[in-house]
């Protein structure tokens, strides 16, 4: 057992040392993988080190290396080693953080971590929450709660901007909101929800007999990093008696920095907030979180107590996290957050998050000064969207879309960095999301230079 664990640790440490010198992406087509892996389970086992080596050689490297310092696509993730070890320990101790009886240590630790989040968000003492698999599961729990608080109306409707993550729409669908009652509100030039349009929509819907149960706001929209006007939304939702849910899965942890706190002002007035510690808080997957202003609202929809769990009722002050969301059996997710914060201290987390904010601002400055690149959505939190669009050359938008598709393909195959695309304002755009504690300005600058280089090449052939 020790040898196997030591070999696994050695593989991971070597990978981490070599990561920056590799490509940020590797993958394979289906057929060769089927050939290699599609086998019946063996009747008898084989040497564990042989199994481990096969996983390390044939399976694990075939992935987007989300923790590569030049991994800027989608929303990357860069876990710290104490967090990784915490997941190993939690699995080895086989903790099921379902309730106090079964896991009092892990349950108290979850209370600790949830209380840290509460304080960082500026939430009152009444607030609480739970750790979830991710932002999608947390959003689902949030909308179940919003629906319950609204009295489970038949003709419920929810509202979100056209920039909202698909997780919001999916959550609405799963809680039974009819597709036509999941309403998309237009966003402004800064990709923030148009509160006037929202208000008109709610008015028309009420008149038509719908019952608005929730507004889902963005605190860091995935495509552009846009933050909706949270204070204005909080005023609107308070006056209308509608649950305000904030999707801060990507952007929420910026609140630990002074700059982030300013950008996210008003988040503390939300009824519920989703955070993903596996995004901008440097944890291994899965580390989502749902926070609600009044923790008692969570147990109403979720606490169902069958006889076979009657022994698990320890008494007041001993929360059963399985009563707060859709999972009963749950891994001890708080351990990774706690171990990495204890190891590095909050100053290091603040620096790492501030680095993402700063690199994005510098990226925008670089783009604004580039003769080849043009900014399509200025840095918001740590996301910036841009494309090849040389100043003074009047190239049609459709042609620019195609040119930038080719630039992205060249980046993908010929540059070690991984970036992805977005469509701000309906136009094909390259996009950087900078959330890695190992990313330096040089990583960002050289990636932008690669985009310029490929852009010039593609333009020559145009
Ligand atoms: C803003 C936002 N919300 C929700 C999600 C979904 O979270 P998860 O993938 O953890 O389920 C994401 C994922 O990228 C996101 O960026």
């Amino acid at each position: 057992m020790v040898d196997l664990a030591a070999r696994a640790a050695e593989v991971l440490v070597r990978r981490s040392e070599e990561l920056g010198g590799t490509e940020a992406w590797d993958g394979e087509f289906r057929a060769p993988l089927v050939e290699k892996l599609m086998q019946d389970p063996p009747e008898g086992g084989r040497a564990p080190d042989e199994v481990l080596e096969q996983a390390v050689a044939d399976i694990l490297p075939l992935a987007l290396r989300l923790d590569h310092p030049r991994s800027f696509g989608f929303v990357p993730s860069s876990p710290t080693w104490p967090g990784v070890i915490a997941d190993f320990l939690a699995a080895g101790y086989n903790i099921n953080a379902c309730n106090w009886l079964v896991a009092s240590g892990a349950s108290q630790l979850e209370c600790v971590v949830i209380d840290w989040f509460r304080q960082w968000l500026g939430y009152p003492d009444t607030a609480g929450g739970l750790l979830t698999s991710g932002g999608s599961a947390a959003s689902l729990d949030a909308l179940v709660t919003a629906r319950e608080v609204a009295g489970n109306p038949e003709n419920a409707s929810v509202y979100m901007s056209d920039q909202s993550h698909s997780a919001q729409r999916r959550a609405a669908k799963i809680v039974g909101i009819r597709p036509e009652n999941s309403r998309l509100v237009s966003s402004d030039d800064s990709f923030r929800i148009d509160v006037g349009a929202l208000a008109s929509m709610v008015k028309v819907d009420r008149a038509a007999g719908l019952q608005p149960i929730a507004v889902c706001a963005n605190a860091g929209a995935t495509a552009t990093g846009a933050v909706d006007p949270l204070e204005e939304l909080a005023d609107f939702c308070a006056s209308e008696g509608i649950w305000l849910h904030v999707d801060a899965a990507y952007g929420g942890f910026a609140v630990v920095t002074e700059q982030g706190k300013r950008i996210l002002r008003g988040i503390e007035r939300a009824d519920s907030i989703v955070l993903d510690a596996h995004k901008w808080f440097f944890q291994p997957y899965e580390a989502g979180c749902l926070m609600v202003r009044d923790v008692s609202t969570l147990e109403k929809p979720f606490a169902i107590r069958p006889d076979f769990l009657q022994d698990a009722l320890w008494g007041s002050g001993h929360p059963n996290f399985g009563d707060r969301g859709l999972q009963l059996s749950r891994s001890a997710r708080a351990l990774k957050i706690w171990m990495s914060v204890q190891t590095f201290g909050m100053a290091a987390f603040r620096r790492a998050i501030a680095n993402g904010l700063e690199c994005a601002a510098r990226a925008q400055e670089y783009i604004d000064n580039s003769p080849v690149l043009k900014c399509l959505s200025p840095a918001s939190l740590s996301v910036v969207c841009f494309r090849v669009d040389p100043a003074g050359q009047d190239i049609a938008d459709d042609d620019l879309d195609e040119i930038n598709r080719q630039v992205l393909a060249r980046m993908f195959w010929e540059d070690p960095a991984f970036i992805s695309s977005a469509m701000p304002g309906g136009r094909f755009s390259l996009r950087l999301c900078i959330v890695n504690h190992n990313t330096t300005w040089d990583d960002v600058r050289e990636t932008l230079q690669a985009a310029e280089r490929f852009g010039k090449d593609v333009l020559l052939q145009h």
Side-chain angles (χ1 to χ4, degrees):
M1 288 167 76
V2 170
D3 285 352
L4 193 65
R7 176 66 187 136
E10 187 191 325
V11 164
L12 290 179
V13 172
R14 182 165 316 143
R15 173 187 179 276
S16 132
E17 283 168 354
E18 293 171 354
L19 191 61
T22 64
E23 307 271 310
W25 181 87
D26 197 4
E28 182 52 286
F29 290 107
R30 180 90 198 269
L33 290 179
V34 166
E35 175 86 8
K36 215 177 249 179
L37 298 173
M38 208 73 177
Q39 294 154 355
D40 290 335
E43 200 52 35
R46 55 190 168 118
D49 52 340
E50 193 186 307
V51 178
L52 183 147
E53 296 305 337
Q54 189 187 351
V56 167
D58 294 345
I59 302 166
L60 292 166
L62 297 179
L64 169 57
R65 293 167 189 146
L66 288 141
D67 47 346
H68 189 289
R70 296 192 186 187
S71 207
F72 300 120
F74 313 121
V75 181
S77 150
S78 54
T80 63
W81 187 239
V84 173
I85 295 299
D87 268 357
F88 174 61
L89 285 171
Y93 272 82
N94 200 26
I95 307 291
N96 183 345
C98 58
N99 60 47
W100 203 272
L101 176 77
V102 176
S104 48
S107 296
Q108 180 51 39
L109 203 63
E110 191 155 342
C111 292
V112 170
V113 166
I114 291 291
D115 201 58
W116 289 349
F117 294 179
R118 180 189 69 75
Q119 292 176 46
W120 299 342
L121 291 165
Y123 252 176
D125 290 344
T126 52
L130 83 165
L131 299 175
T132 64
S133 57
S136 305
S139 291
L140 178 56
D141 290 350
L143 288 193
V144 169
T145 309
R147 187 186 59 187
E148 183 88 8
V149 166
N152 291 307
E154 292 266 315
N155 47 355
S157 52
V158 300
Y159 302 79
M160 62 192 79
S161 97
D162 53 15
Q163 300 297 310
S164 292
H165 195 279
S166 44
Q168 308 307 317
R169 242 185 304 168
R170 184 162 47 212
K173 196 169 172 181
I174 298 170
V175 302
I177 306 296
R178 297 172 66 85
E180 65 273 22
N181 296 349
S182 194
R183 312 277 268 134
L184 285 193
V185 183
S186 55
S187 52
D188 63 17
D189 291 348
S190 306
F191 309 102
R192 291 150 50 100
I193 194 168
D194 178 339
V195 182
L198 167 70
S200 313
M201 213 178 244
V202 165
K203 194 170 172 195
V204 169
D205 285 354
R206 281 202 201 279
L210 294 184
Q211 194 159 334
I213 62 161
V215 170
C216 304
N218 291 312
T222 312
T224 59
V227 178
D228 286 334
L230 299 176
E231 291 186 300
E232 216 181 317
L233 284 173
D235 288 342
F236 173 74
C237 287
S239 69
E240 290 284 331
I242 303 176
W243 183 276
L244 175 59
H245 172 60
V246 174
D247 179 4
Y250 145 63
F253 284 104
V255 286
V256 304
T257 67
E258 282 309 312
Q259 188 187 349
K261 204 177 284 173
R262 276 196 304 279
I263 297 171
L264 299 176
R265 189 175 296 134
I267 196 168
E268 71 286 351
R269 293 180 59 198
D271 293 294
S272 56
I273 302 169
V274 162
L275 300 167
D276 258 351
H278 59 225
K279 293 189 165 74
W280 214 357
F281 207 67
F282 318 114
Q283 300 305 319
Y285 296 104
E286 301 170 342
C289 175
L290 172 63
M291 297 291 300
V292 292
R293 262 185 92 71
D294 174 0
V295 71
S296 69
T297 55
L298 262 188
E299 295 200 1
K300 273 189 206 123
F302 290 108
I304 296 171
R305 301 199 170 111
D307 294 347
F308 54 81
L309 286 179
Q310 61 194 357
D311 311 323
L313 290 177
W314 190 297
S316 69
H318 297 87
N320 289 339
F321 283 94
D323 283 347
R324 292 186 178 182
L326 57 86
Q327 262 187 297
L328 180 59
S329 298
R330 312 161 65 243
S331 60
R333 300 185 178 105
L335 190 65
K336 50 191 161 189
I337 298 168
W338 182 81
M339 276 183 63
S340 50
V341 170
Q342 292 291 334
T343 304
F344 295 107
M346 281 307 292
F349 277 81
R350 250 180 247 117
R351 267 198 309 278
I353 292 169
N355 177 56
L357 293 166
E358 191 192 326
C359 281
R362 289 182 77 174
Q364 188 199 320
E365 204 179 307
Y366 183 97
I367 293 160
D368 288 343
N369 289 318
S370 164
V372 182
L373 304 177
K374 184 175 172 193
C375 196
L376 289 199
S377 151
S380 182
L381 292 170
S382 67
V383 174
V384 57
C385 293
F386 62 100
R387 68 172 172 177
V388 169
D389 181 1
Q393 292 187 28
D394 210 11
I395 306 174
D397 272 330
D398 288 349
D399 291 343
L400 284 170
D401 287 353
E402 185 46 36
I403 286 165
N404 281 279
R405 279 197 180 89
Q406 288 179 34
V407 172
L408 185 68
R410 294 278 301 270
M411 296 283 299
F412 185 82
W413 291 113
E414 297 174 42
D415 193 78
F418 181 91
I419 65 173
S420 59
S421 65
M423 298 291 288
R427 286 298 161 200
F428 188 89
S429 162
L430 309 173
R431 168 184 169 280
L432 297 177
C433 178
I434 308 166
V435 293
N436 185 318
H437 53 90
N438 286 317
T439 295
T440 62
W441 166 242
D442 284 349
D443 289 314
V444 178
R445 181 179 46 76
E446 286 175 25
T447 302
L448 291 168
Q449 285 169 341
E452 286 177 313
R453 208 168 50 245
F454 293 129
K456 283 182 196 155
D457 271 8
V458 173
L459 285 165
L460 279 179
Q461 291 150 22
H462 178 64

